[in-house]
Amino acid sequence: MISALSWKGDCLEILDQTRLPEATCHVQLRHAADVFEAIQSLRVRGAPAIGIAAAYGLYLGVRESAPVTREEFFRALDDQLSYLASARPTAVNLSWALHELRRGLHGLATLSVPALLDRLLDLAH
């Protein structure tokens, strides 16, 4: 069975759907910009897959910003949420998934930054 998306410990691996049916090519996405490009270029297709990819992209983007304080964490979260949502503004599941992750962190502002990052990845899973 070919998996369209899977988390590989520190990156998101996707099946590049622009290469189908001629080739089966998996691509590792290590940065939010990689996920943005994959969503925008239709490497990731289908509403559920777009939402899942965006969730992992949000985690990658916040992690990449290396927030030190909780305030920096939530500012990076909001910045990355807006950035990733702009990859396909009409994709309903994209915006929905990103806002669900944001809601999942609501009320956890007292957690440490590492704990918030862990929770964000748990929500993406």
Side-chain angles (χ1 to χ4, degrees), residues 16-30:
D16 184 344
Q17 295 186 30
T18 63
R19 305 283 308 272
L20 295 174
E22 292 82 22
T24 300
C25 178
H26 287 87
V27 178
Q28 291 188 341
L29 310 177
R30 298 186 180 282

Side-chain angles (χ1 to χ4, degrees), residues 7-23:
W7 182 251
K8 297 294 185 180
D10 67 342
C11 68
L12 177 64
E13 186 174 276
I14 64 163
L15 173 64
D16 184 344
Q17 295 186 30
T18 63
R19 305 283 308 272
L20 295 174
E22 292 82 22

Side-chain angles (χ1 to χ4, degrees), residues 17-82:
Q17 295 186 30
T18 63
R19 305 283 308 272
L20 295 174
E22 292 82 22
T24 300
C25 178
H26 287 87
V27 178
Q28 291 188 341
L29 310 177
R30 298 186 180 282
H31 306 281
D34 300 336
V35 175
F36 180 97
E37 187 279 331
I39 292 169
Q40 190 175 55
S41 68
L42 301 177
R43 291 178 193 269
V44 176
R45 291 184 193 165
I50 290 170
I52 293 166
Y56 285 110
L58 186 60
Y59 167 76
L60 290 169
V62 173
R63 182 184 73 182
E64 192 172 276
S65 72
V68 174
T69 66
R70 289 184 299 274
E71 293 78 19
E72 290 173 0
F73 175 90
F74 284 100
R75 189 170 33 254
L77 182 76
D78 289 339
D79 290 348
Q80 291 298 316
L81 189 148
S82 295

Side-chain angles (χ1 to χ4, degrees), residues 95-111:
S95 179
W96 175 86
L98 292 168
H99 285 94
E100 279 298 305
L101 267 67
R102 180 69 167 96
R103 275 191 286 282
L105 295 170
H106 183 73
L108 302 178
T110 60
L111 292 181

